[in-house]
Amino acid sequence: MLHHISRTSRAVVSAYGEALKPSGLTGQQFNVLMSLAQAGPLTVARLARLVGMDPTTVPRALRPLRRRRLVGVRASADRRERVIFVTTAGRQRLAAAVPMWDAIQRRVVRAIGSREWRALTADLRAVRRALSTDAKP
């Protein structure tokens, strides 16, 4: 199973990355921006949970977005935490990238069928839940 998951993951990352290339965003950057745009400002820990990243890797993932001023960082009420937010430039970049993401998404759903797509999404959620460190044996 691991072999299939690894190969599928590489294919998905590659296809979405190629589709998003004209926007100047990687798939991971698009995911971060979209998550922040939908959820609003988040702490690093909450953003990590939302996008499925380890909290220690979030700062490295945010670095290019911060350099390009697509996200900003401010202190939270708890000064030990930082809050990440999408800037105006980030919203503009995201708006330009959404049609590219939509196009590849439609292509994949068309290729496998909408019923299969929904089932696959549910199955992947179930696998993540089963492998979650919070899951009880």
Side-chain angles (χ1 to χ4, degrees):
M1 182 168 105
L2 181 59
H3 174 73
H4 292 294
I5 290 172
S6 294
R7 289 184 65 193
T8 303
S9 176
R10 282 192 300 274
V12 168
V13 168
S14 176
Y16 279 76
E18 193 60 36
L20 289 166
K21 193 178 274 187
S23 74
L25 297 173
T26 65
Q28 182 183 57
Q29 291 168 345
F30 177 87
N31 188 27
V32 167
L33 284 176
M34 182 61 80
S35 296
L36 284 169
Q38 290 176 338
L42 296 170
T43 63
V44 170
R46 289 193 63 215
L47 176 61
R49 273 194 307 277
L50 185 62
V51 298
M53 293 174 68
D54 186 279
T56 62
T57 63
V58 171
R60 186 172 52 245
L62 292 173
R63 203 168 295 129
L65 295 172
R66 287 186 69 190
R67 253 194 324 268
R68 292 159 52 200
R69 294 186 167 87
L70 302 179
V71 298
V73 179
R74 62 177 162 76
S76 73
D78 178 348
R79 295 221 180 258
R80 295 171 295 176
E81 293 183 321
R82 295 185 156 305
V83 174
I84 316 302
F85 61 93
V86 181
T87 64
T88 301
R91 288 186 187 285
Q92 291 169 346
R93 180 70 57 100
L94 188 57
V98 165
M100 298 168 202
W101 183 89
D102 282 342
I104 186 68
Q105 185 77 5
R106 281 192 311 273
R107 187 178 116 206
V108 172
V109 172
R110 237 186 348 261
I112 68 171
S114 60
R115 187 174 348 148
E116 290 81 357
W117 177 258
R118 286 190 304 275
L120 174 62
T121 302
D123 290 345
L124 290 171
R125 248 187 234 110
V127 169
R128 283 194 309 272
R129 272 194 308 274
L131 297 174
S132 168
T133 57
D134 299 334
K136 306 281 187 265

